[in-house]
Amino acid sequence: MPDSTNGGAYRLGIDIGGTFTDLVLIDLQTHQLHIGKSLTTPREPAQGVLNGLTKVASQSGIDPARIANVIHATTLVTNAVIERKGAKTGLITTQGMKDLLEIGREQKYDLYDIFLRMPEPLIPPPLRKEAMERIYTEGEVLVPIDRERLREAIGELAEAGVESIAVSLLHSYANPDHELAVEE
């Protein structure tokens, strides 16, 4: 890795947006900035980064091997959520929790708007499936996962044409075994 103390190391900042990928290359010694932009390649975001890096490196005469740090940000996922684009997604959650987000018992962002319409859920009810399982907050298994029912649920999602499956099981931070079983 390049050493910023012996002259010539750089830091690269990358922001992959919906239309453009912006790059800022800074010389860690002189603080000189080199700015680049390329078209975002949504299906292969790394290609847009490489295109931009090639361009900014060529224009500045800097060897990319001298880049010591890379800082990356993107709005691709945020845009996909807002625009409701992306893969058709199913959800596997703990039994009794599949409608929790849609119930929406959090406070409204505009308390006095009696006509406020909450957005449609990202995953419609037919694509939400429950896993028979339960883990306590400390990680102890209360109800072992029912693998046969899990296979059926995943089969139903596959038949419905889902392209990805989100997994959200209670207390998996304390014991990931059931989420790993879903992955398997």
Side-chain angles (χ1 to χ4, degrees), residues 58-87:
S58 174
Q59 290 172 346
S60 64
I62 295 167
D63 178 0
R66 294 171 61 198
I67 297 172
N69 305 97
V70 176
I71 300 167
H72 168 265
T74 184
T75 57
L76 290 178
V77 174
T78 304
N79 292 346
V81 170
I82 291 170
E83 296 169 4
R84 307 266 174 166
K85 293 180 179 175

PDB file of all heavy atoms in Angstrom, residues 58-87:
ATOM      1  N   SER A  58      -5.805   9.327 -16.152  1.00  0.00           N
ATOM      2  CA  SER A  58      -5.191   9.740 -17.414  1.00  0.00           C
ATOM      3  C   SER A  58      -5.042  11.258 -17.487  1.00  0.00           C
ATOM      4  O   SER A  58      -3.983  11.771 -17.857  1.00  0.00           O
ATOM      5  CB  SER A  58      -6.043   9.229 -18.579  1.00  0.00           C
ATOM      6  OG  SER A  58      -5.552   9.724 -19.801  1.00  0.00           O
ATOM      7  N   GLN A  59      -6.097  11.972 -17.114  1.00  0.00           N
ATOM      8  CA  GLN A  59      -6.068  13.433 -17.177  1.00  0.00           C
ATOM      9  C   GLN A  59      -5.068  14.044 -16.197  1.00  0.00           C
ATOM     10  O   GLN A  59      -4.471  15.069 -16.470  1.00  0.00           O
ATOM     11  CB  GLN A  59      -7.461  14.012 -16.922  1.00  0.00           C
ATOM     12  CG  GLN A  59      -8.424  13.744 -18.052  1.00  0.00           C
ATOM     13  CD  GLN A  59      -9.848  14.154 -17.703  1.00  0.00           C
ATOM     14  OE1 GLN A  59     -10.196  14.407 -16.550  1.00  0.00           O
ATOM     15  NE2 GLN A  59     -10.696  14.201 -18.732  1.00  0.00           N
ATOM     16  N   SER A  60      -4.884  13.398 -15.050  1.00  0.00           N
ATOM     17  CA  SER A  60      -3.993  13.950 -14.026  1.00  0.00           C
ATOM     18  C   SER A  60      -2.576  13.383 -14.104  1.00  0.00           C
ATOM     19  O   SER A  60      -1.674  13.901 -13.449  1.00  0.00           O
ATOM     20  CB  SER A  60      -4.573  13.669 -12.638  1.00  0.00           C
ATOM     21  OG  SER A  60      -4.626  12.266 -12.403  1.00  0.00           O
ATOM     22  N   GLY A  61      -2.409  12.299 -14.868  1.00  0.00           N
ATOM     23  CA  GLY A  61      -1.093  11.674 -14.967  1.00  0.00           C
ATOM     24  C   GLY A  61      -0.713  10.890 -13.722  1.00  0.00           C
ATOM     25  O   GLY A  61       0.466  10.666 -13.446  1.00  0.00           O
ATOM     26  N   ILE A  62      -1.691  10.450 -12.971  1.00  0.00           N
ATOM     27  CA  ILE A  62      -1.446   9.745 -11.708  1.00  0.00           C
ATOM     28  C   ILE A  62      -1.654   8.240 -11.908  1.00  0.00           C
ATOM     29  O   ILE A  62      -2.644   7.799 -12.494  1.00  0.00           O
ATOM     30  CB  ILE A  62      -2.384  10.277 -10.603  1.00  0.00           C
ATOM     31  CG1 ILE A  62      -2.043  11.738 -10.309  1.00  0.00           C
ATOM     32  CG2 ILE A  62      -2.303   9.422  -9.350  1.00  0.00           C
ATOM     33  CD1 ILE A  62      -3.089  12.445  -9.478  1.00  0.00           C
ATOM     34  N   ASP A  63      -0.729   7.466 -11.402  1.00  0.00           N
ATOM     35  CA  ASP A  63      -0.830   6.007 -11.451  1.00  0.00           C
ATOM     36  C   ASP A  63      -1.824   5.558 -10.367  1.00  0.00           C
ATOM     37  O   ASP A  63      -1.609   5.831  -9.177  1.00  0.00           O
ATOM     38  CB  ASP A  63       0.551   5.406 -11.187  1.00  0.00           C
ATOM     39  CG  ASP A  63       0.541   3.888 -11.167  1.00  0.00           C
ATOM     40  OD1 ASP A  63      -0.536   3.280 -11.350  1.00  0.00           O
ATOM     41  OD2 ASP A  63       1.625   3.310 -10.958  1.00  0.00           O
ATOM     42  N   PRO A  64      -2.910   4.873 -10.721  1.00  0.00           N
ATOM     43  CA  PRO A  64      -3.880   4.417  -9.718  1.00  0.00           C
ATOM     44  C   PRO A  64      -3.259   3.563  -8.604  1.00  0.00           C
ATOM     45  O   PRO A  64      -3.808   3.491  -7.509  1.00  0.00           O
ATOM     46  CB  PRO A  64      -4.889   3.600 -10.532  1.00  0.00           C
ATOM     47  CG  PRO A  64      -4.799   4.168 -11.906  1.00  0.00           C
ATOM     48  CD  PRO A  64      -3.340   4.552 -12.075  1.00  0.00           C
ATOM     49  N   ALA A  65      -2.119   2.943  -8.857  1.00  0.00           N
ATOM     50  CA  ALA A  65      -1.451   2.139  -7.827  1.00  0.00           C
ATOM     51  C   ALA A  65      -0.991   3.003  -6.660  1.00  0.00           C
ATOM     52  O   ALA A  65      -0.684   2.485  -5.590  1.00  0.00           O
ATOM     53  CB  ALA A  65      -0.271   1.388  -8.422  1.00  0.00           C
ATOM     54  N   ARG A  66      -0.948   4.320  -6.862  1.00  0.00           N
ATOM     55  CA  ARG A  66      -0.511   5.234  -5.797  1.00  0.00           C
ATOM     56  C   ARG A  66      -1.663   5.679  -4.902  1.00  0.00           C
ATOM     57  O   ARG A  66      -1.468   6.495  -4.011  1.00  0.00           O
ATOM     58  CB  ARG A  66       0.181   6.445  -6.428  1.00  0.00           C
ATOM     59  CG  ARG A  66       1.490   6.040  -7.120  1.00  0.00           C
ATOM     60  CD  ARG A  66       2.099   7.141  -7.941  1.00  0.00           C
ATOM     61  NE  ARG A  66       2.431   8.301  -7.137  1.00  0.00           N
ATOM     62  CZ  ARG A  66       2.644   9.518  -7.635  1.00  0.00           C
ATOM     63  NH1 ARG A  66       2.577   9.719  -8.941  1.00  0.00           N
ATOM     64  NH2 ARG A  66       2.933  10.527  -6.859  1.00  0.00           N
ATOM     65  N   ILE A  67      -2.845   5.143  -5.125  1.00  0.00           N
ATOM     66  CA  ILE A  67      -4.004   5.490  -4.287  1.00  0.00           C
ATOM     67  C   ILE A  67      -3.928   4.689  -2.991  1.00  0.00           C
ATOM     68  O   ILE A  67      -3.916   3.458  -3.003  1.00  0.00           O
ATOM     69  CB  ILE A  67      -5.326   5.220  -5.034  1.00  0.00           C
ATOM     70  CG1 ILE A  67      -5.408   6.121  -6.272  1.00  0.00           C
ATOM     71  CG2 ILE A  67      -6.519   5.451  -4.107  1.00  0.00           C
ATOM     72  CD1 ILE A  67      -6.582   5.810  -7.182  1.00  0.00           C
ATOM     73  N   ALA A  68      -3.861   5.418  -1.869  1.00  0.00           N
ATOM     74  CA  ALA A  68      -3.708   4.776  -0.564  1.00  0.00           C
ATOM     75  C   ALA A  68      -5.046   4.410   0.067  1.00  0.00           C
ATOM     76  O   ALA A  68      -5.150   3.422   0.787  1.00  0.00           O
ATOM     77  CB  ALA A  68      -2.934   5.695   0.379  1.00  0.00           C
ATOM     78  N   ASN A  69      -6.070   5.220  -0.183  1.00  0.00           N
ATOM     79  CA  ASN A  69      -7.380   5.000   0.441  1.00  0.00           C
ATOM     80  C   ASN A  69      -8.485   5.270  -0.564  1.00  0.00           C
ATOM     81  O   ASN A  69      -8.361   6.161  -1.399  1.00  0.00           O
ATOM     82  CB  ASN A  69      -7.596   5.952   1.628  1.00  0.00           C
ATOM     83  CG  ASN A  69      -6.504   5.872   2.658  1.00  0.00           C
ATOM     84  OD1 ASN A  69      -5.605   6.688   2.626  1.00  0.00           O
ATOM     85  ND2 ASN A  69      -6.579   4.912   3.546  1.00  0.00           N
ATOM     86  N   VAL A  70      -9.566   4.532  -0.428  1.00  0.00           N
ATOM     87  CA  VAL A  70     -10.750   4.752  -1.246  1.00  0.00           C
ATOM     88  C   VAL A  70     -11.940   4.889  -0.304  1.00  0.00           C
ATOM     89  O   VAL A  70     -12.132   4.069   0.596  1.00  0.00           O
ATOM     90  CB  VAL A  70     -10.991   3.584  -2.228  1.00  0.00           C
ATOM     91  CG1 VAL A  70     -12.287   3.788  -3.004  1.00  0.00           C
ATOM     92  CG2 VAL A  70      -9.809   3.426  -3.178  1.00  0.00           C
ATOM     93  N   ILE A  71     -12.722   5.936  -0.530  1.00  0.00           N
ATOM     94  CA  ILE A  71     -13.936   6.165   0.241  1.00  0.00           C
ATOM     95  C   ILE A  71     -15.090   6.116  -0.753  1.00  0.00           C
ATOM     96  O   ILE A  71     -15.050   6.780  -1.783  1.00  0.00           O
ATOM     97  CB  ILE A  71     -13.881   7.526   0.968  1.00  0.00           C
ATOM     98  CG1 ILE A  71     -12.688   7.559   1.916  1.00  0.00           C
ATOM     99  CG2 ILE A  71     -15.186   7.779   1.720  1.00  0.00           C
ATOM    100  CD1 ILE A  71     -12.357   8.929   2.436  1.00  0.00           C
ATOM    101  N   HIS A  72     -16.110   5.340  -0.442  1.00  0.00           N
ATOM    102  CA  HIS A  72     -17.166   5.055  -1.410  1.00  0.00           C
ATOM    103  C   HIS A  72     -18.541   5.359  -0.828  1.00  0.00           C
ATOM    104  O   HIS A  72     -18.804   5.088   0.336  1.00  0.00           O
ATOM    105  CB  HIS A  72     -17.060   3.569  -1.772  1.00  0.00           C
ATOM    106  CG  HIS A  72     -18.233   3.052  -2.516  1.00  0.00           C
ATOM    107  ND1 HIS A  72     -19.274   2.424  -1.903  1.00  0.00           N
ATOM    108  CD2 HIS A  72     -18.532   3.076  -3.833  1.00  0.00           C
ATOM    109  CE1 HIS A  72     -20.167   2.068  -2.812  1.00  0.00           C
ATOM    110  NE2 HIS A  72     -19.728   2.452  -3.984  1.00  0.00           N
ATOM    111  N   ALA A  73     -19.400   5.914  -1.649  1.00  0.00           N
ATOM    112  CA  ALA A  73     -20.806   6.134  -1.283  1.00  0.00           C
ATOM    113  C   ALA A  73     -21.656   5.885  -2.526  1.00  0.00           C
ATOM    114  O   ALA A  73     -21.167   5.983  -3.641  1.00  0.00           O
ATOM    115  CB  ALA A  73     -21.005   7.555  -0.785  1.00  0.00           C
ATOM    116  N   THR A  74     -22.931   5.576  -2.306  1.00  0.00           N
ATOM    117  CA  THR A  74     -23.822   5.377  -3.443  1.00  0.00           C
ATOM    118  C   THR A  74     -25.248   5.711  -3.057  1.00  0.00           C
ATOM    119  O   THR A  74     -25.632   5.590  -1.897  1.00  0.00           O
ATOM    120  CB  THR A  74     -23.755   3.932  -3.977  1.00  0.00           C
ATOM    121  OG1 THR A  74     -24.588   3.846  -5.135  1.00  0.00           O
ATOM    122  CG2 THR A  74     -24.205   2.927  -2.946  1.00  0.00           C
ATOM    123  N   THR A  75     -26.011   6.125  -4.046  1.00  0.00           N
ATOM    124  CA  THR A  75     -27.443   6.337  -3.859  1.00  0.00           C
ATOM    125  C   THR A  75     -28.241   5.324  -4.677  1.00  0.00           C
ATOM    126  O   THR A  75     -29.456   5.437  -4.760  1.00  0.00           O
ATOM    127  CB  THR A  75     -27.853   7.768  -4.280  1.00  0.00           C
ATOM    128  OG1 THR A  75     -27.479   7.975  -5.639  1.00  0.00           O
ATOM    129  CG2 THR A  75     -27.215   8.813  -3.389  1.00  0.00           C
ATOM    130  N   LEU A  76     -27.585   4.339  -5.261  1.00  0.00           N
ATOM    131  CA  LEU A  76     -28.282   3.367  -6.113  1.00  0.00           C
ATOM    132  C   LEU A  76     -29.389   2.631  -5.362  1.00  0.00           C
ATOM    133  O   LEU A  76     -30.502   2.483  -5.866  1.00  0.00           O
ATOM    134  CB  LEU A  76     -27.304   2.353  -6.703  1.00  0.00           C
ATOM    135  CG  LEU A  76     -26.341   2.881  -7.770  1.00  0.00           C
ATOM    136  CD1 LEU A  76     -25.403   1.776  -8.228  1.00  0.00           C
ATOM    137  CD2 LEU A  76     -27.089   3.467  -8.943  1.00  0.00           C
ATOM    138  N   VAL A  77     -29.102   2.170  -4.157  1.00  0.00           N
ATOM    139  CA  VAL A  77     -30.111   1.431  -3.394  1.00  0.00           C
ATOM    140  C   VAL A  77     -31.239   2.357  -2.974  1.00  0.00           C
ATOM    141  O   VAL A  77     -32.423   2.015  -3.107  1.00  0.00           O
ATOM    142  CB  VAL A  77     -29.477   0.733  -2.170  1.00  0.00           C
ATOM    143  CG1 VAL A  77     -30.539   0.088  -1.303  1.00  0.00           C
ATOM    144  CG2 VAL A  77     -28.465  -0.306  -2.626  1.00  0.00           C
ATOM    145  N   THR A  78     -30.889   3.554  -2.498  1.00  0.00           N
ATOM    146  CA  THR A  78     -31.915   4.518  -2.105  1.00  0.00           C
ATOM    147  C   THR A  78     -32.831   4.832  -3.280  1.00  0.00           C
ATOM    148  O   THR A  78     -34.056   4.840  -3.151  1.00  0.00           O
ATOM    149  CB  THR A  78     -31.257   5.821  -1.588  1.00  0.00           C
ATOM    150  OG1 THR A  78     -30.375   5.486  -0.520  1.00  0.00           O
ATOM    151  CG2 THR A  78     -32.292   6.808  -1.117  1.00  0.00           C
ATOM    152  N   ASN A  79     -32.240   5.074  -4.447  1.00  0.00           N
ATOM    153  CA  ASN A  79     -33.034   5.357  -5.636  1.00  0.00           C
ATOM    154  C   ASN A  79     -33.942   4.178  -5.988  1.00  0.00           C
ATOM    155  O   ASN A  79     -35.105   4.368  -6.350  1.00  0.00           O
ATOM    156  CB  ASN A  79     -32.134   5.687  -6.832  1.00  0.00           C
ATOM    157  CG  ASN A  79     -31.414   7.002  -6.662  1.00  0.00           C
ATOM    158  OD1 ASN A  79     -31.747   7.806  -5.800  1.00  0.00           O
ATOM    159  ND2 ASN A  79     -30.405   7.219  -7.485  1.00  0.00           N
ATOM    160  N   ALA A  80     -33.423   2.975  -5.911  1.00  0.00           N
ATOM    161  CA  ALA A  80     -34.219   1.792  -6.240  1.00  0.00           C
ATOM    162  C   ALA A  80     -35.417   1.665  -5.300  1.00  0.00           C
ATOM    163  O   ALA A  80     -36.525   1.325  -5.725  1.00  0.00           O
ATOM    164  CB  ALA A  80     -33.359   0.530  -6.181  1.00  0.00           C
ATOM    165  N   VAL A  81     -35.218   1.960  -4.017  1.00  0.00           N
ATOM    166  CA  VAL A  81     -36.312   1.886  -3.045  1.00  0.00           C
ATOM    167  C   VAL A  81     -37.344   2.970  -3.324  1.00  0.00           C
ATOM    168  O   VAL A  81     -38.549   2.703  -3.383  1.00  0.00           O
ATOM    169  CB  VAL A  81     -35.777   1.990  -1.600  1.00  0.00           C
ATOM    170  CG1 VAL A  81     -36.919   2.158  -0.608  1.00  0.00           C
ATOM    171  CG2 VAL A  81     -34.960   0.757  -1.249  1.00  0.00           C
ATOM    172  N   ILE A  82     -36.887   4.190  -3.521  1.00  0.00           N
ATOM    173  CA  ILE A  82     -37.803   5.307  -3.774  1.00  0.00           C
ATOM    174  C   ILE A  82     -38.590   5.088  -5.067  1.00  0.00           C
ATOM    175  O   ILE A  82     -39.796   5.313  -5.123  1.00  0.00           O
ATOM    176  CB  ILE A  82     -37.031   6.638  -3.824  1.00  0.00           C
ATOM    177  CG1 ILE A  82     -36.515   6.987  -2.433  1.00  0.00           C
ATOM    178  CG2 ILE A  82     -37.908   7.764  -4.375  1.00  0.00           C
ATOM    179  CD1 ILE A  82     -35.538   8.143  -2.415  1.00  0.00           C
ATOM    180  N   GLU A  83     -37.900   4.641  -6.095  1.00  0.00           N
ATOM    181  CA  GLU A  83     -38.530   4.461  -7.404  1.00  0.00           C
ATOM    182  C   GLU A  83     -39.249   3.121  -7.531  1.00  0.00           C
ATOM    183  O   GLU A  83     -39.888   2.852  -8.546  1.00  0.00           O
ATOM    184  CB  GLU A  83     -37.474   4.586  -8.506  1.00  0.00           C
ATOM    185  CG  GLU A  83     -36.857   5.973  -8.564  1.00  0.00           C
ATOM    186  CD  GLU A  83     -35.630   6.038  -9.459  1.00  0.00           C
ATOM    187  OE1 GLU A  83     -35.295   5.008 -10.111  1.00  0.00           O
ATOM    188  OE2 GLU A  83     -35.001   7.100  -9.507  1.00  0.00           O
ATOM    189  N   ARG A  84     -39.098   2.263  -6.526  1.00  0.00           N
ATOM    190  CA  ARG A  84     -39.716   0.938  -6.527  1.00  0.00           C
ATOM    191  C   ARG A  84     -39.241   0.102  -7.708  1.00  0.00           C
ATOM    192  O   ARG A  84     -40.014  -0.567  -8.372  1.00  0.00           O
ATOM    193  CB  ARG A  84     -41.238   1.053  -6.530  1.00  0.00           C
ATOM    194  CG  ARG A  84     -41.797   1.922  -5.440  1.00  0.00           C
ATOM    195  CD  ARG A  84     -42.160   1.128  -4.280  1.00  0.00           C
ATOM    196  NE  ARG A  84     -42.572   1.968  -3.155  1.00  0.00           N
ATOM    197  CZ  ARG A  84     -43.170   1.489  -2.129  1.00  0.00           C
ATOM    198  NH1 ARG A  84     -43.428   0.212  -2.080  1.00  0.00           N
ATOM    199  NH2 ARG A  84     -43.484   2.246  -1.126  1.00  0.00           N
ATOM    200  N   LYS A  85     -37.948   0.199  -7.968  1.00  0.00           N
ATOM    201  CA  LYS A  85     -37.335  -0.603  -9.027  1.00  0.00           C
ATOM    202  C   LYS A  85     -36.455  -1.656  -8.376  1.00  0.00           C
ATOM    203  O   LYS A  85     -36.145  -1.592  -7.211  1.00  0.00           O
ATOM    204  CB  LYS A  85     -36.474   0.289  -9.926  1.00  0.00           C
ATOM    205  CG  LYS A  85     -37.282   1.291 -10.730  1.00  0.00           C
ATOM    206  CD  LYS A  85     -36.389   2.125 -11.591  1.00  0.00           C
ATOM    207  CE  LYS A  85     -37.193   3.102 -12.424  1.00  0.00           C
ATOM    208  NZ  LYS A  85     -36.328   4.011 -13.173  1.00  0.00           N
ATOM    209  N   GLY A  86     -36.024  -2.589  -9.144  1.00  0.00           N
ATOM    210  CA  GLY A  86     -35.127  -3.607  -8.616  1.00  0.00           C
ATOM    211  C   GLY A  86     -35.765  -4.973  -8.687  1.00  0.00           C
ATOM    212  O   GLY A  86     -36.818  -5.180  -9.293  1.00  0.00           O
ATOM    213  N   ALA A  87     -35.127  -5.899  -8.043  1.00  0.00           N
ATOM    214  CA  ALA A  87     -35.551  -7.298  -8.092  1.00  0.00           C
ATOM    215  C   ALA A  87     -36.882  -7.494  -7.377  1.00  0.00           C
ATOM    216  O   ALA A  87     -37.170  -6.841  -6.370  1.00  0.00           O
ATOM    217  CB  ALA A  87     -34.489  -8.173  -7.442  1.00  0.00           C
TER     218      ALA A  87
END
